[in-house]
Amino acid sequence: MIEKNSSLKAFNSFSIDAEAHLLFHFTNLSQLSELLALIKQTREESRPILVLGGGSNTLFCEDFDGLVIKVELMGIQQTETSTHYLLEVAAGEDWHQLVEQTVEQGINGLENLALIPGVVGAAPVQNIGAYGVELKDFCEQVDYIDLMDGTLHSLTNEQCKFAYRDSIFKGELKDRVLITSVSLKLPKQWQAHCQYGLLQGLNETEESVSALQIFDSVCRIRTEKLPDPKVLGNAGSFFKNPIVSEYLSDQLLSHHSDMPHYPQPDGNVKLAAGWLIDQCGLKGHKVGGAAVHLQQALVLINEDGRATAEDVIELAWFVREQVLQKFAVLLEHEVRFIGAQGETNLLQVTGNV
């Protein structure tokens, strides 16, 4: 299960090629001792280690000079109580397929999160969310391996420190853990969430909205707006929706009354990054083989399959600068930039400080 100088093109949705010094396919917990020995050897050689799920949020900027652990753990265990369905899902399971299966089985709650690319193990890392629903709303527990000593641990929802596109796995446990499974708790007394974006139309046309209708609507909306990574390489939403002060939001609204804005519990306001980019007239803007998607400005694409990582990075930098100049809002990239020695920062990659 160990490959040397292996191509990573098939393992990232941008479909940009890079090689890993070593690639380990982690398919079963019985491989743990072998994996830990490989990790020890890699550290002794002062090489970096990268845990890779579906590669749907990753841009490889150059060949990776270390060990890539491809998480391919599979399996779903289902139990239930009088009030909830309980699912323990292995980290390598495809997220969208899980959503589809639960809806088909009448286990509702995840339908708003349909067609989010990636695997289950990556979901808690950035607390995936869409159309008013986030993973934290249903996550009961996350199990992981501490890569420093090989011990197994579990975290409760509260211990995961979930926030908007954030969690403990991007903070104090960053680069230290390999998530093995995620436990979800879905209530049998289901309540529809149709208050966000284009889903609002369901409430106007249907007296009683079903989870399947929401699932179908989300799939239709996302298919119309977002490119299929199998056709056009991309990593989904490239930037986070920025959260700004109420003062800045009010200032912007005084000049752009139609600006989408969503007040937050802490008094700040979330803005729509796609709208900001669109207002800068950047849909279709190209740098080399990379382009801003014509239907959704929040998505950067490998337009002709020949884009380089440098093309994508230069385009991302240009988009961010244009939004900053026009709106005084600094966009933060959601995509992980992976260099030879591990994750890096857009500013560092471009050489702009």
Side-chain angles (χ1 to χ4, degrees):
M1 302 303 292
I2 303 174
E3 301 176 18
K4 292 186 176 181
N5 300 320
S6 179
S7 171
L8 298 170
K9 185 173 184 177
F11 302 129
N12 73 93
S13 59
F14 253 119
S15 194
I16 289 179
D17 202 11
E19 287 189 353
H21 174 67
L22 288 177
L23 176 64
F24 183 87
H25 295 270
F26 189 37
T27 62
N28 196 293
L29 289 176
S30 63
Q31 299 171 293
L32 183 56
S33 59
E34 180 184 5
L35 174 60
L36 293 176
L38 191 57
I39 289 173
K40 180 180 179 182
Q41 174 188 330
T42 302
R43 289 204 171 106
E44 288 174 349
E45 296 175 354
S46 299
R47 294 180 182 271
I49 297 168
L50 174 69
V51 176
L52 184 64
S56 60
N57 197 42
T58 303
L59 175 66
F60 285 98
C61 304
E62 53 191 330
D63 291 342
F64 187 74
D65 190 34
L67 169 65
V68 173
I69 307 169
K70 184 71 174 64
V71 181
E72 298 171 354
L73 301 169
M74 305 297 287
I76 302 174
Q77 295 184 21
Q78 178 182 327
T79 57
E80 61 182 279
T81 67
S82 59
T83 59
H84 289 82
Y85 296 104
L86 307 174
L87 303 176
E88 183 180 343
V89 189
E93 292 283 348
D94 181 86
W95 176 262
H96 173 68
Q97 289 180 12
L98 171 67
V99 176
E100 187 174 35
Q101 291 170 16
T102 55
V103 172
E104 288 177 350
Q105 295 171 21
I107 301 174
N108 303 328
L110 302 180
E111 55 282 340
N112 291 57
L113 305 178
L115 273 186
I116 294 180
V119 295
V120 170
V125 176
Q126 63 176 35
N127 182 29
I128 60 171
Y131 300 103
V133 173
E134 293 180 314
L135 178 80
K136 71 177 180 63
D137 301 329
F138 307 104
C139 183
E140 181 81 350
Q141 178 176 298
V142 177
D143 297 332
Y144 70 87
I145 300 168
D146 188 326
L147 297 179
M148 302 302 292
D149 56 19
T151 54
L152 301 176
H153 300 269
S154 297
L155 293 181
T156 64
N157 183 299
E158 184 178 356
Q159 290 172 328
C160 287
K161 299 182 181 179
F162 289 125
Y164 173 63
R165 300 298 181 270
D166 199 11
S167 71
I168 192 173
F169 304 107
K170 294 179 75 172
E172 57 198 88
L173 292 183
K174 180 178 171 61
D175 297 329
R176 178 172 177 148
V177 310
L178 185 155
I179 293 174
T180 58
S181 67
V182 178
S183 296
L184 304 173
K185 186 176 182 180
L186 301 169
K188 291 184 175 179
Q189 286 194 331
W190 170 78
Q191 183 176 2
H193 291 275
C194 304
Q195 299 79 35
Y196 192 93
L198 295 176
L199 289 184
Q200 291 176 342
L202 286 176
N203 283 330
E204 300 171 0
T205 58
E206 301 287 344
E207 291 184 5
S208 179
V209 180
S210 70
L212 180 58
Q213 286 173 310
I214 294 176
F215 173 85
D216 288 340
S217 294
V218 170
C219 289
R220 175 181 54 78
I221 294 167
R222 292 183 71 95
T223 300
E224 289 174 354
K225 295 178 62 178
L226 301 174
D228 183 347
K230 295 178 182 178
V231 179
L232 290 173
N234 72 90
S237 298
F238 199 93
F239 297 100
K240 296 180 182 180
N241 287 325
I243 296 177
V244 302
S245 67
E246 183 179 13
Y247 174 78
L248 178 55
S249 176
D250 289 343
Q251 289 290 103
L252 293 174
L253 283 168
S254 68
H255 297 283
H256 309 276
S257 59
D258 61 338
M259 181 185 73
H261 60 289
Y262 308 95
Q264 302 298 294
D266 62 2
N268 289 322
V269 180
K270 183 189 294 185
L271 306 182
W275 185 89
L276 298 175
I277 297 169
D278 193 11
Q279 295 304 301
C280 293
L282 295 178
K283 282 184 177 177
H285 185 83
K286 299 179 183 181
V287 172
V292 179
H293 189 48
L294 286 171
Q295 277 70 50
Q296 173 51 273
L298 195 53
V299 177
L300 306 187
I301 60 172
N302 181 356
E303 188 176 46
D304 55 8
R306 293 181 292 179
T308 65
E310 289 77 11
D311 292 340
V312 178
I313 293 165
E314 185 178 342
L315 177 60
W317 178 259
F318 180 79
V319 168
R320 198 173 75 154
E321 286 298 294
Q322 294 300 301
V323 171
L324 181 61
Q325 291 177 21
K326 185 176 180 66
F327 295 103
V329 174
L330 183 64
L331 296 181
E332 181 181 351
H333 55 87
E334 212 172 297
V335 172
R336 300 174 67 200
F337 292 82
I338 307 298
Q341 294 300 311
E343 187 166 356
T344 185
N345 185 279
L346 176 61
L347 297 179
Q348 295 170 337
V349 173
T350 56
N352 293 283
V353 179

